[in-house]
Amino acid sequence: MAAATGCYETYFDCLLIGKYTYEIEKMHEKYGPIVRISPWEIHIQDPEFFNEIYCMNPRLDKDPWYYRFVGCPDSTFATGNAQTHHIRRKPMSRLFSMAAVLRAQPLIEACVQSLITQLDLYKGTNTPAHLSHAYRCLAAETITQFSLHRSRRLLELPDFAPTFSLMFRTMAHIAIWHRHTNLAIPLLLAIPRWIVKRFDPAAWLSVLDFNRDHRAQARQVSETGSTSYTQKSNPTLLDALYHSGLPASEKTVSRLAQEAAVVVGAGIEGVASILSIITFHLLADPQKAEKLKRELGEAYGTSNEFLSYHQLQHLPYLTAIITEGTRLNRESGRMPRINPHAPTYWKSWTIPAGTLISMSIRDIHLNDSIFENANTFQPDRWLDPINKANLEHFLVPFGRGSRSCVGMNFSMVELYLTIGNLFRRMEMQLYDTTEEMVYQSHDFLAPHGPRDSKGLRVLIVCSSVGS
């Protein structure tokens, strides 16, 4: 049926809410490593072929239909044409280079320190801290302060702003419907704010305000042409784009706002999910947590010093933990590509030019023939140099090639600073949290857990904050 109509995908995506990824996996189990998942798209399960599609040929276009779910067709992420993407990506690559991210490290450190300070308030209270919400607030603060002129100061809000987390899940539902209808997002943004506030004062109103704030900040940059009204020491994403060599047509308020919305959205959900997965597994297996703390203590003692990325990046076990966390994050959405210029060859198949071809990162990261017991959290698999070199060929949490995640460096610095400093200074216990609560059960490109999940919650037993 999938080969006959796109309605098959619509049913699993919209009515069953983000379940088509799992239906595609069932198709592969039944029909083999290459299947037709819509009248115009084929999906391939072959880890060795991943580089051929996403790394070896930078001229492949993206599928505009699939990526329109973000509602930002002029953003770099959603740009279909490979040549246009190359032009738009260039200034963003400079902004998110490791050198630029390290210059902004004090900003990330301040946010992580704020998180630790807020968690310390839960110490000895027997009141659980909602780390899923906290990590989402942390990721939001870091990426918005880096990209925009104003942040929401979410880490200071009670209970780590649960409405903000609800907003992101609501946005994901809207995005799925928008992919299939091309109407959901424009309709929402066209509704007067007072109407939204009257009927849904929480999540939907937050979605509306979230989008309008990006546009307001983009308009301010466009009208002033400078950041003289801020005290930022580093240029924001909006500044970098506005003052780049891009033509004027690429610096409109609409495009700046779209770029900001996508970067902020991507920078929140992915990092928060990885942090939740890592924290859950370390607390669920105290031996792993103790091993990490022992490594931190042996390297830097037991002082209250906040450790920098430079200090943390060389620690083998911490690196193994973060690597394993990125692998198990299970970024779920497939990545459709089109070669408009020439046919694509896979084994005995000749795939005509213009055919949509997609693969999924989870099919590689959860492959037991590559990663032994692939569904289990095993940082030790990355400690043997030879084994690590073999596995890294198949490690693609941020994609590969010219379309890989532009914020990879920013995310990795944030992961090191958060896990390294949090486990150095906090003693935590899981509170009524199971593995199912932190792992994906719905595919909105970014992973989302069960609808009734309360997420990752912990008790703060003790801490060294302020000692």
Side-chain angles (χ1 to χ4, degrees):
M1 186 179 294
T5 174
C7 293
Y8 192 70
E9 180 175 356
T10 302
Y11 170 75
F12 283 94
D13 255 358
C14 297
L15 301 183
L16 298 188
I17 310 178
K19 294 292 186 180
Y20 198 49
T21 286
Y22 313 108
E23 181 64 16
I24 292 173
E25 291 176 354
K26 291 177 182 178
M27 293 182 200
H28 282 296
E29 291 173 4
K30 184 174 182 179
Y31 299 112
I34 182 168
V35 296
R36 182 173 290 279
I37 62 173
S38 80
W40 43 81
E41 182 179 349
I42 62 172
H43 190 273
I44 297 175
Q45 269 190 353
D46 180 1
E48 294 289 354
F49 193 62
F50 188 88
N51 279 349
E52 292 291 326
I53 294 294
Y54 301 102
C55 194
M56 302 302 291
N57 193 342
R59 298 190 302 156
L60 299 186
D61 293 341
K62 274 186 172 182
D63 174 22
W65 175 86
Y66 185 81
Y67 289 96
R68 79 180 180 192
F69 79 97
V70 295
C72 300
D74 293 326
S75 65
T76 301
F77 172 76
T79 298
N81 181 268
Q83 185 176 359
T84 304
H85 171 268
H86 175 74
I87 294 170
R88 290 174 172 173
R89 169 101 177 197
K90 194 172 181 179
M92 295 185 66
S93 295
R94 287 195 294 267
L95 180 70
F96 283 95
S97 68
M98 182 56 81
V101 170
L102 290 179
R103 285 195 296 271
Q105 185 177 181
L107 177 157
I108 306 174
E109 290 177 348
C111 291
V112 175
Q113 181 60 62
S114 179
L115 168 69
I116 293 173
T117 300
Q118 294 300 315
L119 288 175
D120 186 58
L121 300 177
Y122 289 82
K123 181 175 61 179
T125 65
N126 288 323
T127 299
H130 203 305
L131 271 190
S132 291
H133 293 342
Y135 284 151
R136 196 169 279 113
C137 289
L138 169 68
E141 283 301 294
T142 55
I143 193 61
T144 53
Q145 289 191 35
F146 184 76
S147 302
L148 307 175
H149 292 205
R150 297 187 299 271
S151 71
R152 297 188 168 198
R153 307 178 72 88
L154 294 168
L155 287 169
E156 301 172 10
L157 297 181
D159 302 320
F160 297 110
T163 300
F164 185 72
S165 292
L166 178 60
M167 180 199 76
F168 259 83
R169 192 170 189 106
T170 302
M171 286 177 66
H173 287 188
I174 296 170
I176 286 291
W177 277 97
H178 183 70
R179 175 189 290 155
H180 290 268
T181 66
N182 204 26
L183 292 172
I185 293 177
L187 285 176
L188 173 63
L189 297 180
I191 301 174
R193 189 180 188 279
W194 67 269
I195 294 179
V196 178
K197 184 177 181 179
R198 180 170 181 175
F199 288 97
D200 184 59
W204 286 76
L205 185 62
S206 296
V207 171
L208 194 66
D209 289 344
F210 189 74
N211 281 275
R212 290 180 176 176
D213 183 55
H214 294 150
R215 189 172 186 87
Q217 294 199 47
R219 181 179 294 108
Q220 192 167 15
V221 170
S222 179
E223 290 175 351
T224 64
S226 71
T227 60
S228 58
Y229 53 90
T230 72
Q231 300 298 317
K232 287 183 174 294
S233 58
N234 295 295
T236 66
L237 169 68
L238 293 175
D239 297 322
L241 293 177
Y242 187 81
H243 294 286
S244 71
L246 290 172
S249 60
E250 294 291 313
K251 300 177 183 180
T252 64
V253 171
S254 175
R255 218 191 77 73
L256 291 177
Q258 290 183 45
E259 208 72 271
V262 171
V263 168
V264 169
I268 294 173
E269 206 58 37
V271 170
S273 176
I274 295 170
L275 287 171
S276 291
I277 288 169
I278 291 173
T279 303
F280 171 82
H281 283 292
L282 290 179
L283 298 182
D285 188 343
Q287 288 185 341
K288 290 184 174 69
E290 286 304 315
K291 185 174 180 179
L292 172 60
K293 292 176 181 179
R294 189 163 55 250
E295 180 181 66
L296 290 165
E298 290 173 355
Y300 298 111
T302 58
S303 72
N304 203 32
E305 173 194 9
F306 191 96
L307 299 179
S308 69
Y309 174 72
H310 177 73
Q311 292 171 295
L312 293 168
Q313 67 172 321
H314 302 296
L315 297 180
Y317 194 61
L318 174 60
T319 297
I321 284 171
I322 290 173
T323 303
E324 186 72 344
T326 63
R327 182 186 72 84
L328 280 178
N329 185 40
R330 303 178 184 178
E331 290 284 353
S332 53
R334 64 191 191 270
M335 300 178 292
R337 298 291 187 268
I338 310 166
N339 188 338
H341 311 288
T344 300
Y345 301 96
W346 178 76
K347 296 188 175 179
S348 62
W349 291 69
T350 299
I351 304 168
T355 304
L356 273 173
I357 305 170
S358 61
M359 298 183 71
S360 302
I361 290 174
R362 60 181 280 119
D363 290 339
I364 302 173
H365 285 181
L366 301 182
N367 190 318
D368 283 312
S369 66
I370 300 171
F371 300 98
E372 186 178 357
N373 298 317
N375 280 285
T376 61
F377 184 78
Q378 296 182 8
D380 287 1
R381 73 171 88 238
W382 301 100
L383 296 178
D384 177 75
I386 296 177
N387 192 47
K388 178 182 177 182
N390 292 331
L391 295 180
E392 282 180 338
H393 176 70
F394 299 102
L395 183 70
V396 288
F398 300 100
R400 278 210 180 128
S402 61
R403 298 271 195 167
S404 61
C405 175
V406 72
M408 176 179 64
N409 294 325
F410 191 90
S411 298
M412 291 303 291
V413 170
E414 188 171 359
L415 292 172
Y416 271 94
L417 290 174
T418 304
I419 296 299
N421 285 289
L422 187 61
F423 277 86
R424 173 177 165 84
R425 303 169 72 178
M426 289 279 177
E427 187 73 35
M428 299 177 287
Q429 292 179 355
L430 288 175
Y431 179 88
D432 194 23
T433 303
T434 64
E435 186 171 335
E436 290 74 20
M437 293 179 179
V438 298
Y439 272 111
Q440 169 193 307
S441 60
H442 300 275
D443 166 21
F444 302 126
L445 191 66
H448 283 254
R451 298 178 68 182
D452 59 352
S453 171
K454 295 181 178 179
L456 174 63
R457 294 183 293 169
V458 302
L459 295 174
I460 307 300
V461 179
C462 63
S463 73
S464 61
V465 178
S467 63

